Amino acid sequence: MFAQDEERRRIARELHDSAGQNLALLGMSLARIEGDAKRNPAEISKGIKDAQDLIQDLTQEIRTTSYLLHPPMLDENGLASALRWYTEGLAERSGLSIELNIPENLERFAPEVELAIFRLVQECLTNIHRHSGSKTAVIPYSSRSRQDLCAGSGSR
């Protein structure tokens, strides 16, 4: 799992650094052209504006994909922040109502443990969304055991 995550981390950096940068540069170029095109027919300006909107969407998609491959919050802020970011984003994208019951000040675990728990929750929520038909999911945390974290779906 660690080798796979290292590869995901590399791909995430590459997506963010190369494709993301190129799209940003293209967006700036189109913005300049749009300013120049204001003296021309409205069709040119509208086409360029549409292209800019597409670039913004692609940039967001690349950023989201990059973060899903390896969420930087996991390294920077720990499991609790990474799970909050992931569950909020998934809820927004999927319409799934997700209840995340973990303490705000959840202690840091070893990086490989945080990664394993994050991937486990990610996989559970993906399965709930795709296969259960449920509109809700609950991720409880128990302090009985530092690693007693699991996801479950509500009733349909």
Side-chain angles (χ1 to χ4, degrees):
M1 185 185 303
F2 193 78
Q4 183 182 32
D5 189 63
E6 284 300 314
E7 180 66 9
R8 287 179 178 207
R9 188 182 310 235
R10 184 192 66 73
I11 293 168
R13 273 194 308 267
E14 191 173 311
L15 274 174
H16 184 266
D17 292 346
S18 64
Q21 295 294 333
N22 287 337
L23 284 172
L25 183 60
L26 181 57
M28 288 185 279
S29 296
L30 285 172
R32 182 181 42 80
I33 293 168
E34 181 183 27
D36 294 342
K38 291 193 182 204
R39 292 176 293 256
N40 294 331
E43 295 169 13
I44 294 171
S45 183
K46 184 187 178 321
I48 291 172
K49 177 66 175 123
D50 290 346
Q52 285 178 306
D53 292 343
L54 178 60
I55 288 169
Q56 287 178 345
D57 292 346
L58 286 168
T59 301
Q60 184 60 44
E61 187 175 322
I62 287 172
R63 184 174 291 120
T64 299
T65 301
S66 171
Y67 286 3
L68 289 175
L69 285 168
H70 185 83
M73 274 186 221
L74 195 56
D75 295 332
E76 297 166 7
N77 301 324
L79 182 62
S81 292
L83 285 175
R84 278 187 200 87
W85 167 82
Y86 177 71
T87 56
E88 288 169 7
L90 180 62
E92 186 178 306
R93 290 186 307 275
S94 69
L96 188 64
S97 174
I98 303 170
E99 183 181 329
L100 180 63
N101 297 322
I102 59 174
E104 289 290 325
N105 59 349
L106 182 67
E107 65 183 284
R108 295 294 306 258
F109 302 111
E112 60 274 7
V113 172
E114 288 188 341
L115 174 63
I117 293 171
F118 182 86
R119 293 292 181 217
L120 178 67
V121 171
Q122 188 179 39
E123 183 67 19
C124 288
L125 289 174
T126 297
N127 287 339
I128 289 167
H129 172 63
R130 288 184 183 164
H131 306 297
S132 77
S134 177
K135 299 292 182 205
T136 63
V138 177
I139 303 167
Y141 174 82
S142 170
S143 61
R144 287 188 321 241
S145 168
R146 289 171 30 130
Q147 298 156 6
D148 187 15
L149 189 65
C150 62
S153 67
S155 61
R156 292 181 185 195

